[in-house]
Amino acid sequence: MSVVSIAEAWPGPGKPFTVAELDRMPDDGHRYELLDGGLFVSPRPGNPHQVVAFTLATALDRACPPEWQVVPEPAVQISQKTEFAPDLVVIRQEQANAAKCTEPPLLVVEVRSPSTALIDLNAKKAAYERFGVESYWVVVPDRDEPEVIAFELRDGRYYEATHVFGDQVFAAHRPFRFEVIPSRLVARLHPR
C-alpha cells in the first residue's frame, strides 16, 4: 500500500477524470465519485445518515432472498468515466466477491443528504437509468417528514413507482417484496 496525494492522483490539465484516477485518490475522509469524467467530492456521511442507511440495510438484509446480497457503500462502476458510491445496493450473490459492481445492481439506494439532493434525484438517477438498474430508491431522512421515493425501470426509463411519507407503508415488489415505514428509519435518531 502506498500513500498518494490528491495532486498525484489528479489527471493532466484539461483531461477528464477516469476510474483509474479515482482509484488512486487518498482516503482522506471525503467521498469521491465520478460522473462523465467530472469529480464530485462530498464529506463522508455523518452519523444520522449512517444510522438511517444501517437501519434500512438491516431490514433489507432480513428480507433479501439468499441468491442476492445487500452491500453497503460499494463502488458502482458504470463506465471508465462514471463511478458512484451509493449507500446500499442489492446485487446477485455471484457478484459479492467482486471488487466493484460493474454490472447493474438490482437495487440502488441513496440516503439523501443536503449536499447531495440535486445529484441524487437528477444526475445519479439518470446515470443509473442508462446503466439499467431496475430499482432506484431515494430515502429522505427528514426528522419531521421522512420519505422514501422509489423509481422503477420500465422500457428503459424510470417512472416514480412509490412515494411515501412519515408513517405510511412503503411496499416494494422489486427486486423482492419488502415493506418499511419511513418514520421507523429515523426513529432511533429521535427517541420519544
Side-chain angles (χ1 to χ4, degrees):
M1 179 176 164
S2 63
V3 177
V4 175
S5 71
I6 290 177
E8 292 169 310
W10 218 260
K15 293 185 178 179
F17 275 87
T18 66
V19 170
E21 280 104 18
L22 186 67
D23 288 344
R24 293 178 28 210
M25 293 303 264
D27 186 6
D28 63 358
H30 291 88
R31 180 182 277 187
Y32 294 95
E33 298 179 290
L34 284 181
L35 176 62
D36 297 329
L39 183 66
F40 286 87
V41 182
S42 57
R44 289 240 185 251
N47 288 348
H49 178 109
Q50 296 296 64
V51 167
V52 171
F54 179 78
T55 302
L56 181 57
T58 302
L60 277 168
D61 191 56
R62 281 194 296 260
C64 190
E67 64 270 17
W68 296 339
Q69 180 67 52
V70 176
V71 180
E73 295 189 35
V76 176
Q77 183 179 334
I78 293 173
S79 72
Q80 288 301 315
K81 294 182 183 175
T82 300
E83 182 175 294
F84 299 128
D87 293 299
L88 302 169
V89 298
V90 173
I91 58 174
R92 289 177 179 78
Q93 190 62 47
E94 60 267 16
Q95 297 171 296
N97 288 321
K100 297 181 179 190
C101 298
T102 56
E103 297 175 24
L106 301 161
L107 168 66
V108 170
V109 180
E110 292 283 2
V111 177
R112 195 174 85 183
S113 299
S115 64
T116 65
L118 289 175
I119 294 168
D120 291 345
L121 284 171
N122 293 299
K124 284 186 178 182
K125 180 180 156 219
Y128 289 136
E129 179 182 75
R130 286 189 305 272
F131 193 44
V133 174
E134 294 178 24
S135 299
Y136 177 55
W137 301 352
V138 176
V139 176
V140 182
D142 183 83
R143 176 186 182 142
D144 298 319
E145 190 85 283
E147 305 172 45
V148 177
I149 309 163
F151 299 95
E152 301 293 340
L153 199 60
R154 183 188 303 153
D155 298 325
R157 304 282 303 171
Y158 277 143
Y159 71 96
E160 188 176 297
T162 309
H163 190 168
V164 297
F165 302 85
D167 292 328
Q168 296 174 327
V169 175
F170 170 71
H173 302 285
R174 289 173 61 186
F176 49 85
R177 291 193 180 280
F178 174 75
E179 288 188 357
V180 71
I181 297 172
S183 61
R184 292 188 184 160
L185 295 174
V186 299
R188 297 186 81 180
L189 297 172
H190 315 290
R192 295 178 187 211

